[in-house]
Amino acid sequence: MSKFTHKLLCATIAGAFALAGSAFAQTAPDDAQIAGIVVAANQVDIDAGKLAQKTTKQAEVKSFAKQMVTDHTGVNKQAGALVKKLKVTPTDSDLSKSLKAGGAENIAKLKGLKGKEFDKAYVDHEVTYHQAVIDALDKTLIPNAKNAELKDTLVKTRPAFVAHLEHAKQLQSTMK
């Protein structure tokens, strides 16, 4: 991935969260929308991780991708159990829609890459994506969650996203 493409991708992800954030500034997401955003954010990373597991030849990237699939699948199962308990149906919002669209765009770009170019693009995206999700958790999702259990789940999940970001940054630093 060229530096320009990477910067464009970063700007796209940041822009999606910023646009959604400004939309939420006018109308804060409700718990059903927050649940929908959480499910979408995790699914996007699960899909990218599955592609990386199949595509990469590098053991460290494969291991990281496997961890992303396992951890984000676990969060989605936890979120599914919670929304069932709370009788909340996750609903789409501008942010969940833009996350899904951005995820599909990322998968399409990654499918056109091979070898080190694929590994670098995947890991670069993971760094950008996890930072954007942490920002969304801090600025939008946690402050607007009304249900205490939902808010608590978001707060308890945040350290995993931070650990994923640090792991992705460490992996990224070995690719330069």
Side-chain angles (χ1 to χ4, degrees):
M1 176 182 287
S2 71
K3 286 185 178 182
F4 175 74
T5 304
H6 175 69
K7 286 180 181 178
L8 183 62
L9 179 62
C10 292
T12 302
I13 293 169
F17 279 102
L19 284 173
S22 66
F24 288 142
Q26 296 169 359
T27 57
D30 60 25
D31 287 351
Q33 290 172 321
I34 290 171
I37 292 164
V38 168
V39 170
N42 282 295
Q43 191 59 52
V44 163
D45 215 33
I46 291 166
D47 294 344
K50 285 180 178 177
L51 178 63
Q53 283 182 290
K54 288 191 294 189
T55 306
T56 188
K57 304 284 187 239
Q58 189 180 25
E60 291 174 352
V61 174
K62 191 177 290 271
S63 174
F64 176 78
K66 182 179 180 185
Q67 181 185 4
M68 294 305 101
V69 172
T70 300
D71 289 359
H72 289 286
T73 299
V75 171
N76 264 358
K77 285 182 181 172
Q78 187 180 6
L82 180 61
V83 297
K84 186 175 180 181
K85 176 183 172 187
L86 300 176
K87 298 180 181 171
V88 172
T89 301
T91 59
D92 273 335
S93 62
D94 289 343
L95 181 52
S96 66
K97 289 176 188 173
S98 58
L99 286 171
K100 291 174 187 175
E105 186 177 322
N106 179 50
I107 294 293
K109 286 179 184 174
L110 288 174
K111 283 183 175 178
L113 303 174
K114 293 179 181 175
K116 290 181 179 180
E117 195 176 38
F118 173 89
D119 293 343
K120 183 167 179 8
Y122 169 68
V123 172
D124 285 349
H125 184 269
E126 287 297 298
V127 168
T128 303
Y129 192 73
H130 280 89
Q131 184 60 61
V133 171
I134 291 166
D135 290 346
L137 280 166
D138 292 344
K139 296 174 184 169
T140 304
L141 304 180
I142 293 171
N144 288 303
K146 302 281 187 277
N147 181 280
E149 285 186 75
L150 178 60
K151 184 177 284 220
D152 189 51
T153 298
L154 295 171
V155 169
K156 287 180 178 173
T157 303
R158 188 185 183 284
F161 280 96
V162 172
H164 291 170
L165 174 62
E166 293 307 315
H167 189 174
K169 283 181 176 178
Q170 181 274 327
L171 200 53
Q172 186 182 46
S173 72
T174 67
M175 299 180 151
K176 292 182 179 176

